[in-house]
């Protein structure tokens, strides 16, 4: 359960106990104080428009699309001949962690994934979306008798809330006194925090009923409503589709001075990409088009670590056999400064890249968004008008794949680089998928599955005592020394 949800549940439980069972509330105060013990990164968000008006990844995306004369949606490689049709979508997401956080690189990876999902949301909604809307407008001039009854009801509720607030403060004071008697700071803190939460809830409830929580309810007079009008609007969009063959064409990372950065993604989908995705999924390459052979994939990828740092995703290239192939980029940050952690970071980068190839082969993407807006106005007997505006927005995107067997080739390239702005060390890999590699991997697997019969004769290979002593010589205690060390493993024979 999320922290905010738990806090809301905590407050609602305490409110209910105030009115129903003060004795049960005392037990809650004593034992549930750890609910608010969470550790998280915290920082201030600028109160001016600096973030809103700073350069961002979407600016870079649209500048790039303008240079290519491309648009979101349908495009053609040859606009005049209407050939080479492809679909283009874009997405961006903020890097949530501060740039000085140890988790910053992981947050960059998450931002890319979220931006990629945003682009896929656009594509899924292009394929088909179900949309539902509703609007309602209301106007009323309530009668005097109804208004008098309403005011009496609100005054009674206000007095009850006022009494509950006093009772809550008294119980919290008793809890703090008990904490002092037993020498427990946690019990004292629990009483203080519970009182703060409850008073805040009760004060909000008083404001909702038109009372000033800082003044006694009996000293306040609620005004009659002469007219009231309201408007409500709701829009809900749902989409669900299978996507196969969505590649990342280009990524952008923008970190303005003093502000949160973000990452933007350009997604491209075409018939050829879809054919490749289906061929990987079915392990059937007969229908793949063969083009003119290109350079080996290793010679087609960037090797400048500064470029690789900003390169995310998976895309297609033509390999040296002329067949479509996939290149995937993965990166991760070492958790510590040890070589062991660096090796783990490379392995995590490989896993990230492998996941990109799997989603390219086909995924189910579900999206949902809901927007609500409301506005109301009340004209009071004192010739005053009260206007309330409220709006909300919710969005969810999910991507799910089933289990699929894929032949992943070893990395084409490994790199590491220090982020020029944040100073974090990043370990990255570039991996590939090719038709020839997949077929060869399947052949080797089938060959390895053939188990030869065992030789039942006695082995004649023995080791003399002298040989055994030589193999086991050395100081088993370790005895590390200063300086540097390098070695090469034994070279295998050429009899393969």
């Amino acid at each position: 359960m999320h922290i905010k949800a738990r806090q809301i549940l905590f407050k609602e439980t305490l409110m209910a106990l105030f009115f129903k069972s003060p004795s049960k509330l005392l037990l809650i105060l004593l034992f549930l104080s750890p609910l608010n013990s969470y550790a998280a990164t915290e920082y201030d968000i600028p109160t001016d428009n600096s973030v809103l008006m700073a350069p961002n990844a979407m600016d870079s995306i649209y500048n790039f699309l303008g240079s290519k004369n491309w648009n979101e949606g349908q495009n053609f490689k040859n606009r005049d001949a209407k050939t080479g049709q492809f679909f283009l979508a874009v997405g961006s997401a903020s890097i949530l962690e501060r740039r000085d956080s140890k988790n910053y690189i992981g947050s960059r990876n998450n931002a890319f994934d979220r931006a990629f999902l945003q682009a896929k949301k656009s594509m899924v909604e292009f394929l088909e979306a179900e949309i539902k809307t509703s609007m309602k407008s209301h106007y009323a001039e309530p009668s005097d008798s109804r208004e008098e009854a309403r005011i009496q009801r609100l005054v009674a509720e206000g007095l009850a809330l006022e009494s509950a607030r006093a009772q809550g403060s008294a119980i919290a004071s008793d809890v703090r006194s008990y904490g002092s008697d037993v020498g427990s700071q946690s019990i004292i803190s629990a009483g203080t925090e519970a009182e703060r939460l409850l008073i805040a809830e009760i004060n909000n409830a008083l404001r909702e009923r038109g009372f000033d929580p800082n003044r006694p309810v009996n000293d306040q007079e609620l005004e009659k409503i002469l007219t009231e009008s309201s408007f409500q609007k709701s829009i809900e969009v749902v989409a669900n589709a299978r996507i196969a063959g969505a590649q990342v064409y280009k990524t952008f990372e923008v970190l303005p001075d003093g502000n949160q950065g973000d990452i933007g993604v350009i997604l491209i989908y075409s018939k050829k990409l879809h054919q490749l995705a289906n061929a990987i999924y079915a392990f059937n390459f007969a229908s793949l088009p063969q083009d003119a052979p290109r350079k080996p994939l290793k010679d087609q990828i960037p090797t400048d670590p500064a470029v690789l740092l900003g390169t995310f995703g998976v895309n297609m290239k033509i390999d040296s056999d002329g067949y479509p192939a996939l290149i995937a980029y993965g990166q991760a940050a070492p958790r510590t400064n040890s070589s062991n952690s660096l090796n783990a970071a490379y392995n995590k980068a490989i896993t990230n890249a492998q996941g990109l190839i799997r989603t390219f082969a086909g995924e189910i993407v579900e999206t949902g968004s809901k927007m609500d807006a409301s506005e109301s106005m009340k004209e009071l007997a004192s010739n005053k008008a009260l206007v309330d505006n409220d709006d909300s927005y919710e969005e969810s995107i999910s991507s799910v794949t089933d289990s699929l067997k894929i032949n992943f080739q070893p990395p084409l390239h490994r790199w590491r680089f220090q982020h020029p702005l944040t100073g974090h060390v990043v370990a990255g890999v570039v991996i590939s998928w090719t038709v020839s590699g997949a077929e060869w991997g399947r052949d080797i697997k089938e060959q390895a599955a053939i188990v030869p019969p065992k030789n039942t004769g006695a082995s004649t290979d023995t080791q003399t005592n002298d040989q055994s002593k030589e193999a086991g010589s050395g100081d088993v205690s370790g005895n590390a020394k200063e300086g540097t060390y390098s070695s090469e493993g034994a070279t295998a024979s050429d009899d393969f």
Side-chain angles (χ1 to χ4, degrees):
M1 185 181 293
H2 292 295
I3 296 173
K4 186 175 181 181
R6 294 185 68 176
Q7 290 175 335
I8 292 173
L9 178 61
F10 184 43
K11 289 186 284 186
E12 290 177 348
T13 302
L14 294 180
M15 282 287 289
L17 287 172
F18 258 120
F19 289 100
K20 294 181 179 179
S21 177
S23 60
K24 288 184 179 179
L25 171 66
L26 181 60
L27 295 176
I28 293 290
L29 292 175
L30 292 177
F31 297 110
L32 290 191
S33 58
L35 277 172
N36 292 303
S37 300
Y38 294 96
T41 303
E42 182 177 326
Y43 55 90
D44 294 328
I45 297 175
T47 56
D48 56 15
N49 293 333
S50 59
V51 173
L52 303 180
M53 299 307 296
N56 58 39
M58 200 60 78
D59 296 334
S60 300
I61 286 176
Y62 284 119
N63 288 338
F64 177 81
L65 295 182
S67 69
K68 302 281 289 186
N69 200 20
W70 288 351
N71 302 299
E72 292 184 72
Q74 186 184 48
N75 290 270
F76 297 92
K77 292 181 181 179
N78 188 326
R79 298 173 65 91
D80 297 331
K82 300 288 185 181
T83 58
Q85 186 181 42
F86 64 93
F87 178 84
L88 186 149
V90 302
S92 68
S94 297
I95 303 171
L96 301 183
E97 282 284 7
R98 288 175 55 98
R99 61 186 65 182
D100 58 354
S101 167
K102 65 178 182 179
N103 300 316
Y104 180 78
I105 299 303
S107 189
R108 284 176 76 244
N109 286 334
N110 294 337
F112 160 73
D113 288 332
R114 287 165 36 234
F116 202 9
L117 274 178
Q118 284 289 340
K120 291 174 182 177
K121 174 179 182 288
S122 179
M123 180 176 175
V124 167
E125 291 178 348
F126 168 77
L127 298 178
E128 184 180 67
E130 182 179 340
I131 184 168
K132 179 172 64 175
T133 67
S134 66
M135 286 188 287
K136 181 180 179 181
S137 181
H138 175 75
Y139 175 82
E141 295 179 356
S143 65
D144 287 342
S145 60
R146 197 192 83 171
E147 276 301 285
E148 289 174 359
R150 181 185 68 87
I151 291 174
Q152 289 177 1
R153 174 177 57 81
L154 292 176
V155 169
E157 291 176 358
L159 291 172
L161 287 168
E162 205 170 46
S163 175
R165 185 173 59 184
Q167 182 184 14
S169 295
I171 294 176
S173 178
D174 291 341
V175 171
R176 288 192 293 269
S177 296
Y178 173 76
S180 298
D181 293 341
V182 299
S184 173
Q185 184 60 43
S186 62
I187 293 178
I188 297 173
S189 299
T192 300
E193 180 64 11
E195 182 181 24
R196 184 187 67 80
L197 292 173
L198 284 164
I199 288 178
E201 288 294 310
I202 291 174
N203 287 347
N204 286 335
L206 287 168
R207 292 188 188 95
E208 290 173 357
R209 289 159 175 78
F211 295 105
D212 181 352
N214 298 317
R215 296 170 53 201
V217 170
N218 280 329
D219 291 349
Q220 303 181 56
E221 184 175 346
L222 299 180
E223 294 190 67
K224 290 184 179 180
I225 297 174
L226 300 181
T227 70
E228 55 184 350
S229 59
S230 62
F231 172 76
Q232 294 177 327
K233 179 177 73 173
S234 178
I235 303 174
E236 189 170 357
V237 182
V238 177
N240 182 326
R242 179 178 185 267
I243 294 180
Q247 76 163 15
V248 174
Y249 186 78
K250 195 172 183 64
T251 53
F252 300 85
E253 180 180 6
V254 177
L255 281 76
D257 183 27
N259 291 327
Q260 274 184 298
D262 63 343
I263 288 180
V265 173
I266 297 177
L267 174 153
I268 281 182
Y269 168 87
S270 70
K271 182 179 179 180
K272 182 183 289 188
L273 291 168
H274 185 73
Q275 286 178 325
L276 176 58
N278 284 342
I280 295 172
Y281 189 87
F283 201 86
N284 185 350
F285 315 126
S287 62
L288 284 180
Q290 190 170 14
D291 208 328
R294 306 290 201 276
K295 295 185 295 184
L297 291 178
K298 192 173 181 66
D299 297 331
Q300 296 187 48
I301 62 173
T303 56
D304 183 351
V307 175
L308 289 166
L309 180 68
T311 305
F312 298 84
V314 59
N315 53 58
M316 190 195 79
K317 295 183 181 295
I318 303 299
D319 66 13
S320 55
D321 295 324
Y323 283 110
L326 286 181
I327 297 293
Y329 301 86
Q331 52 182 269
R335 177 169 290 188
T336 70
N337 291 328
S338 69
S339 59
N340 196 38
S341 186
L342 178 63
N343 290 331
Y346 278 123
N347 291 333
K348 287 185 285 186
I350 291 172
T351 303
N352 273 328
Q354 290 173 338
L356 290 167
I357 291 178
R358 172 60 191 94
T359 55
F360 178 90
E363 59 186 319
I364 302 298
V365 177
E366 296 182 358
T367 73
S369 56
K370 184 178 181 182
M371 183 182 74
D372 294 305
S374 64
E375 184 178 45
S376 65
M377 185 184 78
K378 296 177 182 178
E379 291 182 271
L380 305 179
S382 61
N383 290 327
K384 292 181 180 179
L386 301 178
V387 179
D388 287 328
N389 276 281
D390 188 29
D391 63 85
S392 64
Y393 179 74
E394 297 179 29
E395 177 183 86
S396 64
I397 314 171
S398 66
S399 166
V400 180
T401 70
D402 57 358
S403 179
L404 181 65
K405 294 179 180 180
I406 299 178
N407 304 88
F408 293 111
Q409 280 98 77
L412 285 174
H413 182 65
R414 292 174 182 253
W415 57 273
R416 67 178 183 271
F417 192 63
Q418 191 169 5
H419 196 290
L421 184 59
T422 69
H424 295 87
V425 174
V426 183
V429 297
V430 184
I431 71 171
S432 65
W433 179 94
T434 64
V435 172
S436 60
E439 291 178 332
W440 191 40
R442 181 65 60 91
D443 291 343
I444 293 176
K445 179 183 177 181
E446 292 175 353
Q447 293 170 14
I450 301 174
V451 181
K454 292 183 178 180
N455 184 354
T456 58
S459 174
T460 58
D461 292 335
T462 58
Q463 188 178 41
T464 66
N465 290 336
D466 290 341
Q467 289 174 323
S468 176
K469 189 180 295 184
E470 182 178 351
S473 63
D475 186 356
V476 297
S477 64
N479 192 21
K481 300 178 181 178
E482 295 183 359
T484 62
Y485 169 81
S486 63
S487 69
E488 294 183 9
T491 303
S493 73
D494 295 335
D495 293 337
F496 54 82

